Amino acid sequence: MRLLSGFLLLVATLLFGTAAAQAHPHVWITASSELLYAPDGSITGVRHAWAFDDMFSVYALQGVEGETKGSYTHEELKDLAQTNIESLKEFAYFTFARADGKKEKFLEPIDYFLDYKDEVLTLHFTLPLKIPVKPRQLVLEVFDRSFFIDFQMADKDPIKLVGAPSGCQMKLERPNDGTASAQKLNEQTFLNGDNSNYGLMFANKITVDCP
């Protein structure tokens, strides 16, 4: 089962089969992230924790066997975590970084796992930067270009700077609520290319300035 890709395919099928279908999020993720720093002050990557909404959590766990009803260990969720990570690759892990205005690339995720608590499935993974950077300003954005997935940063500790040099300042810009306007666009409008990057309007933007 391809966790995100499979779900998006199911969503698309349902949408195209409904004449009055509107384009809006179908998966909701509450995210918290950590920017990781090396001892020399360079940024080495970002660590994410993405908590899926309860409906998607139920869907994703279909067919996953656990010894204890309603409970799953990391080992029992291991294959699902791998499938999830593999599915995210085609979406660039919904994570985009610029260092002093230059777009940065990430390597494939490491240290990934899923946990399940209070009926919520949470994906944890680390995205190493291909080349560590030491910019005066880093901009990190988390969003889905198509807006099928709505990312909201957690209310408590949404962003942490782990090992950052003293003097670094972090600012989080949360997206304005534009759901109403998004729902006015039908699915074909999204797919014709004119609004293929509509999700940028709903990006969570983290800016870190260091001396």
Side-chain angles (χ1 to χ4, degrees):
M1 177 177 64
R2 291 175 61 80
L3 183 55
L4 282 173
S5 296
F7 184 74
L8 295 181
L9 178 60
L10 173 63
V11 167
T13 301
L14 294 174
L15 287 173
F16 283 120
T18 306
Q22 299 293 315
H24 56 277
H26 296 86
V27 181
W28 287 262
I29 290 177
T30 300
S32 58
S33 302
E34 297 178 342
L35 279 172
L36 309 177
Y37 289 78
D40 67 354
S42 61
I43 302 170
T44 61
V46 56
R47 182 185 296 128
H48 288 309
W50 291 353
F52 297 99
D53 64 86
D54 53 359
M55 183 176 71
F56 185 75
S57 294
V58 170
Y59 168 83
L61 288 168
Q62 291 181 8
V64 179
E65 299 293 336
E67 288 189 8
T68 304
K69 185 177 180 180
S71 178
Y72 302 90
T73 66
H74 290 178
E75 185 62 28
E76 290 168 339
L77 295 171
K78 182 178 179 180
D79 290 344
L80 185 59
Q82 181 177 349
T83 300
N84 197 343
I85 288 296
E86 291 173 352
S87 298
L88 285 170
K89 184 175 181 177
E90 63 185 288
F91 305 105
Y93 308 101
F94 302 114
T95 305
F96 310 92
R98 298 192 309 275
D100 291 333
K102 179 186 175 183
K103 182 178 178 180
E104 298 298 330
K105 295 182 179 181
F106 291 99
L107 298 174
E108 293 189 0
I110 60 173
D111 302 332
Y112 55 85
F113 65 94
L114 281 165
D115 63 26
Y116 183 73
K117 183 179 181 181
D118 299 329
E119 300 183 345
V120 172
L121 191 65
T122 302
L123 175 66
H124 303 260
F125 64 102
T126 298
L127 279 175
L129 280 169
K130 186 174 182 179
I131 301 175
V133 292
K134 196 174 182 180
R136 294 185 63 86
Q137 183 180 81
L138 180 86
V139 175
L140 182 74
E141 293 179 297
V142 179
F143 68 100
D144 174 15
R145 296 183 186 277
S146 69
F147 199 49
F148 274 109
I149 301 174
D150 182 11
F151 286 89
Q152 296 184 13
M153 301 305 296
D155 291 331
K156 182 179 180 181
D157 298 327
I159 303 293
K160 291 182 179 179
L161 305 182
V162 180
S166 60
C168 290
Q169 301 291 324
M170 186 272 295
K171 178 177 67 174
L172 168 62
E173 296 178 52
R174 300 175 186 269
N176 294 324
D177 185 6
T179 303
S181 61
Q183 289 177 343
K184 295 178 183 177
L185 301 176
N186 61 34
E187 199 67 19
Q188 190 56 45
T189 301
F190 264 64
L191 296 179
N192 67 12
D194 293 340
N195 294 282
S196 59
N197 203 26
Y198 188 82
L200 182 59
M201 295 178 59
F202 306 93
N204 296 275
K205 183 178 179 180
I206 300 105
T207 303
V208 181
D209 293 294
C210 292

